[in-house]
Amino acid sequence: MMFSTVMRPALLAAARSPRVERTVTGMASTRKVVRRFVAGESEAHAAHATAALLESGRYASIDYLGEDTTDLEQARATVAHYLTLLESLAELPGAAGEVRPLEVSLKLSALGQSLPRDGQAIALEHAQKICAAAAAAGVWVTVDAEDHTTTDSTLAVVRALRADFPWVGTVLQAYLLRTEGDCRDLSGPGSRIRLCKGAYREPAGVAYQHRDEIDASYLRCLDILMRGQGYPMVATHDPLMLEAAFGYVRSARRDPDRFEFQMLYGIRDEEQRRLVATCAHLRTYVPYGDQWYGYFMRRLAERPANLAFFLRSFGPG
Ligand code: FDA
């Protein structure tokens, strides 16, 4: 209780504080812990981690870390990283059927969405470049969900991208009050929706605040997506959500090629392998790059055990 009412909001606020960022990223012991959740700093590290996941029967979605870019040059540099990444991914084993084993995940705020003038148009142009390179490499693209102030803009960019690249997917966050409606609108033929609970600090006017409400919303949204005509991507580590997903799959008579599970790199590795052994598609989200701070802090905010693991790194050894 203390964790969700005190620690989680404090960690999520710290995730957006440049001052705390300087302190946390400056600590030598932090880097060791970060490596549990982040595959490394370079495209070579990301490709290496991805090859190991493919080897174990898992699929991968690779994310070049970065967000809240306020500088056009930085947004262009992010595009360049994705293009280099896609060149490395093109050398890994490709698609056998309709489901592509490799995907990249993009945050539009890293591509310029929040630039003061024409941010949305700039992010769209940058995402189009990445999608064209992904198409050539046989790799899917999914656009991540960020805080609620960006949701309309993100969905508009995704709609525009899908006009040229109909396989582009996006993420919906069950904690937002609007998401059940979005699931209904976006569960048509060809859609690819990753459903997650949501990782940002959101006000009560737009988001459920309590765990039970968020879980109930997740289940309603999952039911809609599973009964829909798209390709649901069930992004959660929660055993209750996973069990419910199998139930919805059975009642909607979905075959295993028409949905997938997704989990984060470094989290519930054994469970990831177990799901693969049940013949389900399991995709691991693999973040890499040196701007890991926001991503890392959101992982600490999710679970007391993650925070404890971080705090233990200050101990002896
Ligand atoms: P939650 O944190 O609610 O925990 C529920 C239960 O799951 C726990 O009680 C425990 O039993 C189990 N569990 C959770 N973590 C565990 C661990 N480390 N070890 C063992 N058991 C554990 N968010 C966002 O806002 N935008 C986005 O684009 C994305 N993208 C994304 C992609 C993918 C592939 C994933 C998996 C998640 C995201 N997220 C995200 C993050 C998401 O919104 C959410 O914050 C986390 O997944 C945590 O929620 P869970 O549903 O996993 O379980």
Side-chain angles (χ1 to χ4, degrees), residues 145 173 194 196-199 211 236-238 264 267 302-303:
Q173 298 152 311
R194 175 195 300 159
C196 66
K197 290 190 188 175
R211 194 188 185 106
T236 181
H237 312 98
D238 188 337
L264 301 177
I267 299 188
E302 263 156 25
R303 196 170 149 77

Side-chain angles (χ1 to χ4, degrees), residues 3-315:
F3 183 82
S4 56
T5 55
V6 180
M7 294 308 291
R8 179 171 293 144
L11 287 163
L12 291 177
R16 290 225 144 132
S17 156
R19 195 165 54 84
V20 185
E21 177 172 358
R22 279 193 297 277
T23 311
V24 172
T25 53
M27 294 172 180
S29 55
T30 309
R31 286 176 184 268
K32 220 171 45 193
V33 184
V34 168
R35 277 311 286 258
R36 178 182 154 190
F37 300 108
V38 173
E41 302 215 331
S42 68
E43 281 71 35
H45 290 134
H48 181 75
T50 301
L53 289 166
L54 292 176
E55 188 84 18
S56 71
R58 283 173 271 188
Y59 297 163
S61 187
I62 302 99
D63 169 45
Y64 175 67
L65 289 166
E67 52 200 90
D68 297 338
T69 298
T70 51
D71 169 22
L72 184 56
E73 279 316 306
Q74 202 184 335
R76 288 186 178 139
T78 298
V79 176
H81 277 285
Y82 273 103
L83 300 183
T84 309
L85 171 68
L86 285 162
E87 276 172 23
S88 329
L89 296 183
E91 288 165 18
L92 296 175
E98 260 182 53
V99 178
R100 297 189 193 170
L102 294 176
E103 177 191 80
V104 292
S105 285
L106 311 177
K107 282 193 176 36
L108 293 181
S109 77
L111 300 183
Q113 186 182 34
S114 46
L115 290 173
R117 243 173 302 123
D118 300 330
Q120 182 173 317
I122 292 167
L124 172 60
E125 194 191 318
H126 286 162
Q128 278 165 330
K129 273 192 191 147
I130 295 169
C131 287
V139 171
W140 268 341
V141 174
T142 288
V143 177
D144 283 357
E146 300 181 67
D147 74 66
H148 82 276
T149 63
T150 63
T151 309
D152 282 328
S153 161
T154 296
L155 293 181
V157 169
V158 169
R159 256 192 312 277
L161 288 173
R162 283 176 57 84
D164 294 324
F165 309 101
W167 37 264
V168 168
T170 194
V171 180
L172 296 177
Q173 298 152 311
Y175 65 14
L176 293 184
L177 307 181
R178 60 177 283 169
T179 294
E180 216 177 311
D182 288 335
C183 285
R184 262 186 218 104
D185 294 347
L186 299 173
S187 58
S191 76
R192 278 199 316 117
I193 298 295
R194 175 195 300 159
L195 181 66
C196 66
K197 290 190 188 175
Y200 296 78
R201 187 176 173 215
E202 299 289 14
V206 301
Y208 298 110
Q209 304 292 310
H210 300 290
R211 194 188 185 106
D212 291 354
E213 293 174 319
I214 297 170
D215 287 356
S217 170
Y218 194 99
L219 294 176
R220 290 194 300 274
C221 291
L222 192 54
D223 187 24
I224 294 166
L225 295 176
M226 287 292 182
R227 283 190 285 106
Q229 305 189 328
Y231 180 84
M233 302 181 280
V234 186
T236 181
H237 312 98
D238 188 337
L240 294 176
M241 303 301 122
L242 295 170
E243 197 187 315
F246 279 115
Y248 293 136
V249 163
R250 274 192 299 276
S251 57
R253 294 171 199 269
R254 266 192 183 259
D255 92 28
D257 263 340
R258 293 191 48 238
F259 74 100
E260 68 183 43
F261 293 108
Q262 298 192 344
M263 292 193 189
L264 301 177
Y265 183 79
I267 299 188
R268 301 206 73 195
D269 197 65
E270 279 306 308
E271 179 64 3
Q272 295 192 18
R273 291 169 192 272
R274 192 190 68 80
L275 285 169
V276 171
T278 67
C279 298
H281 293 307
L282 182 288
R283 191 179 301 272
T284 305
Y285 183 100
V286 183
Y288 80 99
D290 56 10
Q291 296 166 66
W292 42 259
Y293 175 74
Y295 179 86
F296 176 67
M297 293 300 278
R298 288 194 294 277
R299 302 294 77 79
L300 295 189
E302 263 156 25
R303 196 170 149 77
N306 291 348
L307 180 62
F309 181 66
F310 175 54
L311 295 175
R312 271 201 307 276
S313 71
F314 296 105

